Amino acid sequence: MAERPRARRETVRLLFLIAPSLFWLLVFFLFPLLLVFAISFGQRGTYGGVRWDLTLENYVRFFDPLYLRIFGRTFSIALTTTFLCLLIGYPLAYFIATRPARWRNGLVLLLMIPFWTNFLIRTYAWLLILRDQGVINTFWTGPLHEFLVQIATALPLPLWEILLRATSQPLHLFGTDGAIIVGLVYGWLPDMVLPCYAAIERLDFSLVEAAQDLYANRFRSFTRVILPLTMPGIIAGSILVFIPSLGAYVTPDLLGGAKSIMLGNVIYSQFMSARDYPFGSAISFVLMAVMLVGTLVYFRMGAE
Amino acid sequence: MTGSRGVGSGTRRRGRWLARLLALHGVLGYLFLYAPIVVLVIYSFNASRYASGAWRGFTLDWYARLFTNEAIGAALRNTLIVAGVSTLVSTVFGTMVALAMERYDFRGKLAFDALLYLPIIIPDIAMAVMLLLFFVLARVQLGLTTIIISHVAFNISFVAVVVRARLAYFDITLEEAAQDLYANEWQTFRRVTLPLIMPGILGGALLAFTLSIDDFVITFFTAGPGSTTLPLRIYSMVKLGVTPEVNALSSMMLLASIGLVLLSLLLQKGGGGGIEIA
Amino acid sequence: MAEYAIELRNVSKHFGPVVAVDHVTLSIRDGEFFSLLGPSGCGKTTTLRLIAGFELPTGGEIYIGGQLQGETPPYRRPVNTVFQNYALFPHMTVYENVAFGLEMRRVPKDEIQRRVREALEMVRLPGMENRRPNQLSGGQQQRVALARALVNRPKVLLLDEPLGALDLKLRKAMQLELKALQERVGITFVYVTHDQEEALTMSDRIAVMNEGRVLQVGTPEEIYERPTCRFVADFIGETNFLSGRVKERRPKEVVVLVDGSVEVLVAADREVGVGDEVTIAIRPERISLHAKPPDPRALPGRVEERIYVGTDIRYLVRLTEQTVLSVRQQNPGTDAMIRFSPGDTVYLHWRLPSARLLTE
């Protein structure tokens, strides 16, 4: 029986396997991506359309103090979020990694369950907690205030005055950068813990013993052995937290109120209310560029 | 002698304190993760007319209302259609492309690999904007179809990552053994490869399903009139003034998500390939 | 026509710039237990994979039962393979594993049942049908792999280091069992191994390979007693090498001047000319040590070391400035045996045919 060369059959099979995904990603991902890039050099049409007069105006406009300030705020919120996640997440990862082996999988599972539940709902839960009529303030102006009133009547002191006045009105937690940061830290904490945990769990603890045998104290053996060896996990976690924080939309929208907005909200309003597609595209592209650079740096570091 | 012993027990005591501090931190960390969820569930049973605030007694009213709310019913139906179809399509395509990437070398593989990973890395707001612009300029009517197309576009990548993790553990000699035992390429795939990577495929499908149900931003941008999904419904309920019904709806979705996670973990237990968190 | 079960003609396989198999020509007879022996990376496994059809040759031709194979896929070749790691399907039971090949060939159900049972009995694993591979020991998995291949009654069975993962004792037992099995079923076995002792124990013929080439093909005795090149002599067993120059040719013998100082007599079983650079190979167990010269040919040396290894006593004897010979004396366990100590002068002696003249 005459057979077709095996090599050609393999080529046909390869094409069959990648064609659907290739088509989908080219048409519904890469092409739209290039479209955004192209439109970012266009101009806003009279009725919200796009005029194809090439211009750098949209990128120049990005340097308007108004947008620079929002960019700066977005950047600093993302950075603070990343730092706080690291501060909370690394010891948490260390805690999990130093439990007996039979506990660890369960603890990781417990970490993943909130992570896999709807982000919108998790953010909304914080809205319930932080807003003026929320959980914290219900306690603050309710039981706590009444308790202080009772103490004040029983034992009048000038100190109570200040506390009474403070608890007579709700704390303004909602609508601040702080609220956004809390929401983001909550949302992305597992993204920090999991890579850190993977790195710490892989760590050979006899190396720490070796360091202590060589006269390093606890602090030194941490900074000189544990930290450098788990650095890949820290970097991976930081990027996994930083990137979505930078592009956050839901969190600032729900917890930031009208005053605290981030780049994601600006993009949203350019598309949904201002109908300035070119400018919205330019901001999106800057955002993507920052993230791509971050990811590339990460892979470069990972390659070393 | 006594001096050195004193130092030794001193550092040991400090070590114990550090261990306790670490344990305390661990407990607080988990409390931080679960407290908001617990608050949400508790409030879904609160008889108060306000979504948050003082406890006014236990009620199941909000759940009862949920089941009679037609808008929510429609949103649930839309969500299941979007998640079901996009999961099916992306699981088939993603598995195929995972097989190609693990088994073949070809020109431009590196570039294609990058293209495959990009939807995972790119922030959802950017992807949402891209797709919206594309659909608007292509004059495609926004609706369930555009949502499904968009969900497939990001889910292919997630499925491919999970299936590839499974394939990486796959012992290629098993396929050779099948062919040695007279199974042709298709029989080898059906009888050996597919059953062995099935846990990975199901894991990928569940991940895709969860991501699809959870997605708000991309759905929000690519949805049209009449294609409201549950997250969109929750969002508008939250935005338009919070009623306790949203607490009940959120709790139900929470329960569904947890169920899906546990199911997927059970499937993953079937073998090596763990789910890559992205 | 099919005098040979398998024939390779000038077969080569390149992986990019790497030449894994280099112009190999082999003829394997019907019913033969044939081993491919060589160090790791010598191309023996690739040769086997070429026969099975998992790889296609870059050049040359492969015939199975007289049929040119060309691009024939593995599933249309009348051979079966026992893999190094057994490659048992983990999601199938022992029964399903063994039945797989028959099922693919659409053998009727009741016949499958009968043949699987027979095959499992043949490898002495009855009653294990419903176990999963991961519930079996390494030795049992090995037997399942064997049954799974043999149940198809192939013309040729290919075995890729099938005993490599077993411990020494089990391995020795399985060697004898495999050999007995092969004689019983009468199927041609092509057996890949890096273990020379294994190859010598089991094979009818052995092909010694190195760097993609077949260096020598022959019976175990031929390979051991009459190696044709230095690599074969060195790889199979332990060998002493003496290098020197041909000084004189006699009708039946050649005189070689080793290291420019010692004259050694060797049987002239190959063509050499006076002045040629040659190597003499001599096995340690073929040399005897004497306090006084037993023969005018005996060579004097000085004992450098004596090593006790249980079954033998091993001596290192310095012959010349450059050459130290390893000598094994059997340990009969009595005081009758003469023991030499480091520093003693001894006389080395061997029968003329024990020393082999190698040209390379």
Side-chain angles (χ1 to χ4, degrees):
Chain A
M1 190 175 113
E3 293 200 359
R4 279 161 62 198
R6 235 193 259 186
R8 193 193 294 165
R9 266 187 302 164
E10 294 283 284
T11 310
V12 170
R13 198 166 309 143
L14 170 66
L15 278 176
F16 165 72
L17 288 176
I18 63 170
S21 300
L22 185 63
F23 167 80
W24 210 280
L25 288 173
L26 285 182
V27 177
F28 301 117
F29 185 79
L30 192 62
F31 182 69
L33 184 71
L34 297 175
L35 196 66
V36 165
F37 187 57
I39 287 174
S40 71
F41 294 104
Q43 282 177 22
R44 186 188 169 193
T46 333
Y47 301 105
V50 181
R51 278 208 342 262
W52 293 98
D53 304 326
L54 290 191
T55 171
L56 280 172
E57 199 182 288
N58 298 307
Y59 288 95
V60 174
R61 204 169 139 204
F62 190 77
F63 289 94
D64 179 306
L66 171 67
Y67 297 112
L68 271 188
R69 213 175 307 128
I70 295 174
F71 186 73
R73 159 191 267 141
T74 304
F75 208 80
S76 86
I77 286 178
L79 219 54
T80 312
T81 301
T82 310
F83 182 69
L84 284 175
C85 275
L86 184 61
L87 216 59
I88 300 170
Y90 192 88
L92 191 57
Y94 199 92
F95 167 76
I96 300 172
T98 50
R99 291 314 97 187
R102 67 204 139 88
W103 287 22
R104 279 181 228 155
N105 279 341
L107 286 172
V108 171
L109 174 64
L110 272 180
L111 199 70
M112 280 171 70
I113 285 175
F115 181 63
W116 275 51
T117 54
N118 196 308
F119 190 84
L120 186 69
I121 293 175
R122 285 186 293 149
T123 311
Y124 164 66
W126 277 102
L127 181 71
L128 288 183
I129 295 171
L130 294 177
R131 62 206 215 112
D132 288 2
Q133 309 85 22
V135 178
I136 291 178
N137 279 318
T138 304
F139 174 75
W140 181 259
T141 56
L144 187 64
H145 184 71
E146 280 156 30
F147 177 68
L148 287 173
V149 167
Q150 277 174 7
I151 292 187
T153 46
L155 198 98
L157 275 179
L159 171 72
W160 304 130
E161 279 302 309
I162 307 165
L163 286 175
L164 278 175
R165 210 174 311 135
T167 54
S168 65
Q169 55 202 339
L171 292 168
H172 288 292
L173 306 168
F174 172 76
T176 59
D177 286 2
I180 299 177
I181 291 169
V182 168
L184 287 174
V185 168
Y186 182 70
W188 302 112
L189 184 62
D191 263 31
M192 179 64 84
V193 179
L194 288 173
C196 285
Y197 166 73
I200 297 169
E201 211 239 348
R202 226 178 302 142
L203 183 74
D204 179 3
F205 274 90
S206 64
L207 293 175
V208 180
E209 283 166 6
Q212 294 190 344
D213 182 58
L214 297 167
Y215 319 109
N217 60 24
R218 253 171 243 288
F219 179 72
R220 285 279 198 86
S221 51
F222 178 75
T223 54
R224 297 290 295 277
V225 178
I226 301 178
L227 207 58
L229 284 174
T230 53
M231 198 45 94
I234 294 177
I235 293 169
S238 301
I239 286 183
L240 286 179
V241 172
F242 184 74
I243 286 183
S245 302
L246 204 61
Y249 166 72
V250 173
T251 318
D253 188 55
L254 287 188
L255 300 180
K259 285 172 292 173
S260 262
I261 60 170
M262 289 172 73
L263 228 44
N265 311 80
V266 179
I267 295 175
Y268 168 80
S269 60
Q270 292 309 317
F271 278 94
M272 293 311 208
S273 43
R275 301 249 162 218
D276 191 344
Y277 292 172
F279 185 49
S281 298
I283 305 175
S284 310
F285 210 78
V286 170
L287 197 62
M288 279 188 269
V290 171
M291 282 165 201
L292 278 182
V293 168
T295 315
L296 283 179
V297 167
Y298 165 62
F299 279 119
R300 206 24 86 64
M301 287 169 111
E304 271 167 19
Chain B
M1 198 57 203
T2 33
S4 76
R5 194 182 295 164
V7 169
S9 66
T11 56
R12 207 159 297 142
R13 198 173 305 143
R14 210 177 311 145
R16 206 154 52 220
W17 272 107
L18 270 173
R20 280 188 194 152
L21 211 62
L22 192 67
L24 180 70
H25 180 87
V27 172
L28 287 177
Y30 278 100
L31 249 156
F32 173 64
L33 285 173
Y34 280 90
I37 294 177
V38 172
V39 164
L40 181 69
V41 175
I42 290 175
Y43 273 112
S44 72
F45 296 112
N46 188 0
S48 163
R49 279 191 300 111
Y50 303 101
S52 57
W55 182 255
R56 298 261 181 276
F58 180 90
T59 180
L60 285 172
D61 272 9
W62 310 120
Y63 286 93
R65 277 202 206 186
L66 216 58
F67 290 109
T68 53
N69 187 327
E70 269 173 41
I72 287 176
L76 176 65
R77 207 191 45 135
N78 285 339
T79 299
L80 290 178
I81 291 173
V82 168
V85 176
S86 74
T87 298
L88 198 72
V89 175
S90 58
T91 301
V92 173
F93 290 2
T95 302
M96 284 165 72
V97 83
L99 278 165
M101 298 308 276
E102 280 297 308
R103 296 293 169 76
Y104 293 90
D105 266 318
F106 52 91
R107 248 182 331 143
K109 182 173 173 177
L110 209 64
F112 187 53
D113 217 6
L115 178 64
L116 203 54
Y117 272 106
L118 221 46
I120 298 177
I121 308 166
I122 224 160
D124 46 8
I125 184 91
M127 190 148 169
V129 162
M130 280 160 41
L131 286 160
L132 171 69
L133 265 184
F134 172 72
F135 289 133
V136 166
L137 294 184
R139 295 181 198 288
V140 178
Q141 177 70 45
L142 294 180
L144 280 182
T145 318
T146 50
I147 300 177
I148 289 170
I149 287 174
S150 309
H151 283 206
V152 171
F154 65 75
N155 270 337
I156 284 178
S157 304
F158 284 99
V159 172
V161 164
V162 176
V163 176
R164 275 177 82 173
R166 181 86 195 180
L167 274 170
Y169 287 98
F170 190 89
D171 179 7
I172 202 85
T173 55
L174 291 175
E175 287 183 7
E176 290 178 350
Q179 299 214 353
D180 187 65
L181 296 165
Y182 316 107
N184 62 29
E185 281 96 345
W186 171 246
Q187 288 168 319
T188 302
F189 178 74
R190 259 303 277 113
R191 298 287 306 269
V192 175
T193 316
L194 192 62
L196 285 173
I197 63 171
M198 203 35 123
I201 296 176
L202 290 179
L206 269 165
L207 179 62
F209 195 76
T210 315
L211 288 173
S212 186
I213 286 184
D214 276 4
D215 178 70
F216 166 69
V217 176
I218 293 170
T219 312
F220 189 42
F221 275 70
T222 52
S227 62
T228 302
T229 63
L230 278 179
L232 298 195
R233 190 82 222 143
I234 292 174
Y235 181 75
S236 65
M237 283 163 87
V238 170
K239 274 287 179 183
L240 294 173
V242 180
T243 70
E245 242 178 302
V246 75
N247 294 347
L249 180 56
S250 300
S251 299
M252 296 288 288
M253 282 193 72
L254 217 60
L255 196 70
S257 292
I258 291 170
L260 279 176
V261 178
L262 292 179
L263 188 62
S264 84
L265 280 163
L266 269 175
L267 287 169
Q268 293 293 311
K269 275 247 166 85
I275 281 191
E276 188 84 11
I277 309 299
Chain C
M1 142 107 214
E3 175 190 358
Y4 292 114
I6 287 176
E7 263 192 285
L8 306 188
R9 288 189 199 155
N10 252 328
V11 170
S12 295
K13 176 68 185 175
H14 299 213
F15 294 105
V18 182
V19 180
V21 175
D22 192 3
H23 295 92
V24 164
T25 297
L26 276 179
S27 303
I28 300 170
R29 292 182 203 118
D30 233 354
E32 197 170 29
F33 196 122
F34 191 91
S35 291
L36 295 169
L37 173 65
S40 62
C42 73
K44 56 190 193 298
T45 294
T46 307
T47 306
L48 198 76
R49 292 171 59 80
L50 286 166
I51 298 172
F54 303 136
E55 313 280 356
L56 294 179
T58 315
E61 288 156 0
I62 297 173
Y63 295 86
I64 300 177
Q67 297 266 312
L68 177 64
Q69 292 301 309
E71 291 210 342
T72 311
Y75 50 88
R76 286 206 208 107
R77 296 193 182 202
V79 297
N80 287 110
T81 308
V82 175
F83 291 84
Q84 188 168 16
N85 59 358
Y86 317 135
L88 298 179
F89 304 125
H91 59 302
M92 297 183 195
T93 61
V94 167
Y95 181 90
E96 288 166 331
N97 263 284
V98 178
F100 190 88
L102 298 176
E103 222 178 291
M104 290 300 122
R105 290 204 296 183
R106 304 190 191 288
V107 172
K109 264 241 155 60
D110 48 335
E111 192 186 337
I112 292 181
Q113 245 171 26
R114 188 172 51 74
R115 280 169 70 173
V116 170
R117 204 175 49 239
E118 279 171 13
L120 286 175
E121 269 164 21
M122 186 167 63
V123 297
R124 301 201 277 118
L125 269 185
M128 295 282 190
E129 283 87 345
N130 294 321
R131 300 271 187 100
R132 296 253 170 181
N134 60 11
Q135 297 169 313
L136 303 177
S137 70
Q140 288 172 326
Q141 290 183 27
Q142 219 282 311
R143 288 160 195 272
V144 175
L146 207 57
R148 186 177 71 173
L150 283 175
V151 76
N152 304 295
R153 295 172 191 157
K155 278 204 173 67
V156 179
L157 187 67
L158 308 173
L159 302 100
D160 185 8
E161 308 225 13
L163 308 182
L166 304 180
D167 60 61
L168 189 66
K169 252 197 159 140
L170 191 54
R171 194 143 112 205
K172 298 257 181 209
M174 280 303 288
Q175 284 173 9
L176 298 177
E177 205 176 311
L178 260 181
K179 177 70 188 156
L181 187 67
Q182 190 263 340
E183 276 164 9
R184 199 159 72 238
V185 296
I187 291 173
T188 311
F189 275 34
V190 181
Y191 192 95
V192 162
T193 181
H194 67 271
D195 181 339
Q196 38 116 352
E197 203 185 320
E198 195 168 284
L200 293 176
T201 311
M202 303 166 75
S203 317
D204 294 323
R205 285 196 306 150
I206 299 170
V208 182
M209 291 185 73
N210 190 39
E211 293 179 340
R213 270 179 240 173
V214 172
L215 299 177
Q216 188 175 357
V217 182
T219 63
E221 202 181 327
E222 279 167 0
I223 299 271
Y224 189 82
E225 301 290 342
R226 292 186 289 283
T228 53
C229 66
R230 193 183 166 123
F231 181 86
V232 175
D234 199 20
F235 188 74
I236 315 284
E238 195 187 352
T239 307
N240 292 297
F241 293 107
L242 305 170
S243 35
R245 213 175 269 282
V246 176
K247 190 183 174 195
E248 193 189 333
R249 287 180 55 191
R250 298 177 189 165
K252 282 186 174 170
E253 296 146 359
V254 177
V255 181
V256 178
L257 188 64
V258 172
D259 297 336
S261 57
V262 180
E263 285 187 11
V264 179
L265 224 57
V266 200
D269 54 1
R270 66 174 59 208
E271 277 306 302
V272 283
V274 174
D276 284 0
E277 293 264 10
V278 292
T279 302
I280 299 166
I282 172 96
R283 303 275 182 199
E285 75 274 15
R286 298 288 158 85
I287 306 175
S288 56
L289 295 181
H290 307 268
K292 291 180 194 140
D295 186 285
R297 276 196 301 113
L299 303 169
R302 180 177 292 272
V303 174
E304 297 235 308
E305 240 177 283
R306 185 179 67 197
I307 303 152
Y308 177 81
V309 284
T311 54
D312 300 291
I313 308 247
R314 187 162 161 249
Y315 292 96
L316 295 180
V317 182
R318 182 164 292 281
L319 186 67
T320 69
E321 199 72 357
Q322 293 93 340
T323 309
V324 175
L325 295 181
S326 167
V327 179
R328 276 174 184 273
Q329 304 275 66
Q330 239 187 30
N331 181 5
T334 56
D335 297 334
M337 185 185 167
I338 310 159
R339 292 196 177 190
F340 300 97
S341 305
D344 288 358
T345 299
V346 290
Y347 291 89
L348 300 127
H349 183 254
W350 56 81
R351 295 192 319 113
L352 204 56
S354 295
R356 296 276 306 162
L357 191 63
L358 306 175
T359 39
E360 173 258 335

